Amino acid sequence: MKEKLLKLLKANSLSEVVEEIKWVCKYLKRYKGIIAIYFVLGLFSSVFSMGGSVLSKHMIDTVTGEDHSPILLIALMYILFGISSIIFSAVSSRISTKYSTLVTNEIQYEIYQISLDVQWKYIQKFHTGDLINRINGDVGTVSNSILTWVPNFIIKAFQAICCIAIILYYDPIMALISVISTPVVVLLSKTLMYKMRTFSKKSREVSSRIMSFIQESYSNVQSIKAFGIIDDFNIKFKMIQQDFYNVIMQQNKFSVLTGILMSFIGMIVSYSCYGWGVYRLWTHFISFGTMTMFLQLSSYLSNSFSSLVSMVPSAINTLTAVRRLIDIVELPKEAKDETIDIEKIKKESEKSGISINIKNARFCYDDAEEVFNCLTFDAHPGEVVALMGPSGSGKTTIFRILLGISDIADGVSQLEYGSSTCKISASTRGLFAYVPQGNAIFYGTIAENMRLFNRDATDEEIITALKAACAYSFVEKLEDGINSVIEESGTNISEGQKQRLCIARALVSKAPVILIDEGTSALDKETEMQVLKNLTEFKKTKTFVVSTHRTGVLEICDRTYVIEDKALTVAES
Ligand code: ADP
Ligand code: MG
């Protein structure tokens, strides 16, 4: 039983590795031209370094009288060589920086794009710090490997094969001795790699934990200060760092031991070659010159061999990074309904608006208890429909269903416009303007925030919306008016001011349906009533759904639904 399980585990990890390699190959194929450029640059740089030493040897030999080359010509060549080497290194730095940045950007963009397309219920399970770490660190590791590891590997492997081929030509037995360790190394590396993989995974995980911790600390810096828990956070941070240190040291210990083992094997091989060479020389089978060449070649060979071995850990780190990217890339995406043309629906609904119709819907988060077992409600153009219910009863969930962020299990959820209907999904999201619960202001100017759903909104339209949301009174007083900068998470304005900006932003959009999730909860009663009254002026063809705790709001609502026993009932007016 245990053996079977172990086998399964190994098979799994092997198929994982195959999948990871395939993933890298996809990029190798895409960037083969760039990889070729890196390869040529690498070759040239070794030609430059070796050529320089040959020229300098000739120059010294000429001066010491051992050689009779034209000294001036060689000196000139040496200078030319030096200059070209400077030019080459400048050009090479430009080229490699250009392509490494381009490739990193492209992969990063691809992962970013895909991760935003993933269904919310999957992506929200990741800590944002972890996601940042993956999209920064892991993407960097992968792109760096594709551009440098692969060409280096080819160069080193090519060198090793050339050496073996030359040795094979002069002395097949010598060649056999030099490759005899290969099966041992291959067998050993299988187990070693498995362990290295585990270490590499662990270190990436701890590094994600560090990033998550830092991210969370900075975004809650006000609370950390207010709670007086700075010392606790310092201690926690030190502890995570200690974990990181432990993992890195363990990983290093393992790789040092592996290195010693590999060098030991290399030493045995190289001594055996040496012994065999001496024996052949002694029996006059080979010449002195051949012996010297063998010595040079075998040192060359052991050099490329140890470089190849030292490339293994970075290959494993790359595959670990690839796995962490695959983890995100392969999450289920939101289903797109290509038949839905949002712009067309918006146009068609301009006059008559859009109705929402949900019938007998059931909904639960994953395996948790049902939030709704029979959700039925509708909202029509020209109406303000209120959703009421205690905290945790499912108000926000209803908005998620309407926005196609969460999918219902059973029942019907559709939109009606004119005489047509369409199912609510991620593809119909463009018909809604949403004022979420909690903060949803982005770093940037007020105007930038206002144009988020409507790029072409004019300053006048923005000001009209700000006035309707009772926000212009404070925006007007800011030094730069609508061009004032809102800091990250809107820390430089009040909660209620943020809410009013969010409502204004929804009004600036041309969306036919506006959803407000407790969007006036931080306002005083009077302002709240004023905002809601102003909204009704917009309502001619727009449909409004607002969730709220306060009964005062109900005065201006056309219909109120109360959430009770996992269902909605219409409240008596
Ligand atoms: P409300 O907005 O009325 O306060 P919510 O719609 O946010 O309530 O939550 C309804 C219920 O669903 C709560 O019991 C809450 O714990 C649960 N819930 C909300 N979001 C999630 C989620 N992402 N995963 C699992 N359960 C959730
Ligand atoms: Mg809520």
Side-chain angles (χ1 to χ4, degrees):
M1 182 64 200
K2 200 178 157 196
E3 264 176 22
K4 247 189 186 170
L5 207 72
L6 255 162
K7 230 181 190 174
L8 196 77
L9 257 175
K10 277 213 172 129
N12 250 338
S13 83
L14 188 70
S15 70
E16 267 191 0
V17 171
V18 172
E19 191 192 4
E20 289 153 16
I21 292 176
K22 270 191 191 156
W23 203 82
V24 174
C25 285
K26 188 181 79 186
Y27 285 106
L28 290 183
K29 236 188 225 165
R30 189 190 299 173
Y31 299 121
K32 56 180 184 285
I34 300 175
I35 294 169
I37 293 174
Y38 269 69
F39 181 70
V40 171
L41 289 181
L43 276 187
F44 264 98
S45 98
S46 46
V47 166
F48 269 109
S49 60
M50 286 187 293
S53 41
V54 171
L55 279 177
S56 101
K57 167 204 146 30
H58 277 296
M59 209 152 68
I60 291 167
D61 280 353
T62 311
V63 172
T64 54
E66 284 190 28
D67 199 344
H68 298 287
S69 318
I71 179 105
L72 268 180
L73 185 69
I74 291 192
L76 193 68
M77 272 173 74
Y78 194 64
I79 292 168
L80 273 180
F81 214 82
I83 293 172
S84 356
S85 160
I86 291 172
I87 294 172
F88 171 79
S89 93
V91 172
S92 148
S93 155
R94 290 288 295 169
I95 293 177
S96 61
T97 306
K98 173 180 167 173
Y99 287 117
S100 80
T101 315
L102 281 180
V103 169
T104 308
N105 279 354
E106 211 172 293
I107 300 178
Q108 194 173 50
Y109 177 70
E110 206 167 291
I111 306 292
Y112 175 75
Q113 210 183 12
I114 295 175
S115 64
L116 289 186
D117 234 8
V118 164
Q119 285 180 31
W120 174 78
K121 68 171 173 181
Y122 295 105
I123 205 74
Q124 58 125 8
K125 295 250 179 337
F126 287 83
H127 197 291
T128 40
D130 182 24
L131 289 174
I132 294 171
N133 198 19
R134 287 174 200 242
I135 208 156
N136 250 325
D138 293 313
V139 165
T141 308
V142 171
S143 83
N144 184 44
S145 272
I146 287 172
L147 294 181
T148 55
W149 193 93
V150 174
N152 273 344
F153 180 80
I154 298 173
I155 292 173
K156 293 291 167 196
F158 181 72
Q159 278 176 357
I161 291 169
C162 284
C163 277
I164 294 169
I166 298 172
I167 299 174
L168 187 71
Y169 177 75
Y170 286 100
D171 190 344
I173 296 180
M174 179 76 120
L176 187 72
I177 297 174
S178 55
V179 296
I180 207 154
S181 66
T182 315
V184 183
V185 171
V186 168
L187 271 179
L188 258 177
S189 53
K190 231 183 129 188
T191 17
L192 295 181
M193 276 191 208
Y194 183 74
K195 264 211 108 162
M196 273 189 205
R197 215 175 136 76
T198 318
F199 280 127
S200 163
K201 246 185 199 160
K202 254 195 205 161
S203 77
R204 295 301 304 154
E205 274 163 20
V206 184
S207 132
S208 264
R209 258 176 54 212
I210 292 185
M211 183 66 97
S212 304
F213 187 83
I214 294 174
Q215 192 270 335
E216 204 156 272
S217 307
Y218 285 141
S219 56
N220 290 305
V221 76
Q222 189 188 325
S223 306
I224 293 174
K225 281 181 188 292
F227 300 159
I229 49 175
I230 293 179
D231 286 343
D232 302 68
F233 269 68
N234 286 339
I235 292 169
K236 265 194 203 160
F237 188 49
K238 244 210 154 104
M239 269 159 55
I240 306 180
Q241 279 188 322
Q242 182 65 39
D243 279 354
F244 185 65
Y245 170 83
N246 291 345
V247 172
I248 293 294
M249 288 317 285
Q250 257 183 332
Q251 190 178 13
N252 174 261
K253 185 169 150 195
F254 181 74
S255 74
V256 165
L257 287 177
T258 314
I260 291 177
L261 184 70
M262 291 296 178
S263 312
F264 197 65
I265 294 173
M267 207 169 82
I268 293 174
V269 169
S270 123
Y271 284 2
S272 313
C273 284
Y274 188 70
W276 176 251
V278 170
Y279 170 71
R280 294 292 246 190
L281 189 64
W282 185 41
T283 54
H284 298 293
F285 198 87
I286 56 171
S287 69
F288 239 133
T290 315
M291 174 71 191
T292 345
M293 188 193 67
F294 275 168
L295 285 183
Q296 267 171 6
L297 283 178
S298 70
S299 93
Y300 208 41
L301 185 64
S302 82
N303 250 336
S304 1
F305 180 75
S306 60
S307 325
L308 284 175
V309 168
S310 71
M311 284 170 87
V312 172
S314 67
I316 286 169
N317 283 339
T318 304
L319 292 187
T320 308
V322 165
R323 171 55 50 193
R324 283 162 56 84
L325 297 180
I326 291 180
D327 281 348
I328 294 183
V329 169
E330 296 209 325
L331 290 172
K333 311 283 165 319
E334 286 182 330
K336 290 260 156 66
D337 186 346
E338 302 295 342
T339 59
I340 290 176
D341 183 348
I342 285 293
E343 289 313 313
K344 205 172 134 215
I345 300 179
K346 266 192 189 167
K347 213 163 220 148
E348 280 177 31
S349 63
E350 238 163 41
K351 282 201 194 95
S352 56
I354 284 192
S355 293
I356 298 166
N357 187 337
I358 295 189
K359 247 195 221 122
N360 304 332
R362 204 172 63 77
F363 178 84
C364 59
Y365 288 104
D366 292 329
D367 300 327
E369 202 193 332
E370 272 174 346
V371 182
F372 293 107
N373 57 22
C374 189
L375 176 67
T376 295
F377 99 97
D378 50 62
H380 304 284
E383 281 187 332
V384 176
V385 171
L387 302 172
M388 284 199 65
S391 166
S393 57
K395 299 180 292 298
T396 301
T397 304
I398 294 179
F399 290 116
R400 287 189 187 132
I401 293 172
L402 291 175
L403 291 163
I405 289 174
S406 296
D407 296 326
I408 53 171
D410 295 315
V412 180
S413 64
Q414 62 182 22
L415 300 175
E416 296 163 358
Y417 54 99
S419 54
S420 322
T421 60
C422 74
K423 202 172 157 285
I424 289 176
S425 69
S427 307
T428 54
R429 200 173 289 158
L431 299 170
F432 296 89
Y434 180 41
V435 179
Q437 187 175 15
N439 170 50
I441 290 283
F442 293 86
Y443 174 83
T445 66
I446 292 177
E448 279 164 1
N449 266 287
M450 293 300 125
R451 290 195 176 99
L452 213 56
F453 310 149
N454 179 2
R455 250 173 271 165
D456 309 318
T458 61
D459 284 2
E460 283 68 42
E461 284 172 316
I462 290 175
I463 291 171
T464 310
L466 287 170
K467 280 181 180 161
C470 298
Y472 197 60
S473 50
F474 79 85
V475 172
E476 194 176 32
K477 286 188 198 127
L478 298 174
E479 200 178 324
D480 296 317
I482 62 168
N483 293 315
S484 310
V485 172
I486 305 288
E487 280 161 16
E488 187 190 342
S489 309
T491 39
N492 56 343
I493 53 173
S494 83
E495 245 3 89
Q497 288 173 334
K498 270 187 251 177
Q499 286 190 333
R500 280 178 275 167
L501 288 183
C502 286
I503 292 175
R505 183 169 64 189
L507 294 176
V508 170
S509 84
K510 294 273 192 298
V513 187
I514 295 188
L515 309 175
I516 304 178
D517 189 3
E518 302 197 35
T520 50
S521 58
L523 302 186
D524 56 274
K525 199 152 184 203
E526 258 164 56
T527 316
E528 179 179 41
M529 290 313 290
Q530 190 57 53
V531 172
L532 291 168
K533 266 189 198 132
N534 292 349
L535 287 187
T536 55
E537 318 233 314
F538 276 76
K539 84 179 185 181
K540 279 159 245 147
T541 58
K542 282 193 199 278
T543 309
F544 282 89
V545 182
V546 295
S547 78
T548 178
H549 279 306
R550 297 194 199 166
T551 43
V553 176
L554 308 182
E555 281 172 37
I556 57 120
C557 290
D558 298 281
R559 201 149 9 95
T560 303
Y561 287 97
V562 180
I563 306 177
E564 255 172 356
D565 296 332
K566 303 178 183 178
L568 291 186
T569 46
V570 180
E572 300 290 324
S573 54

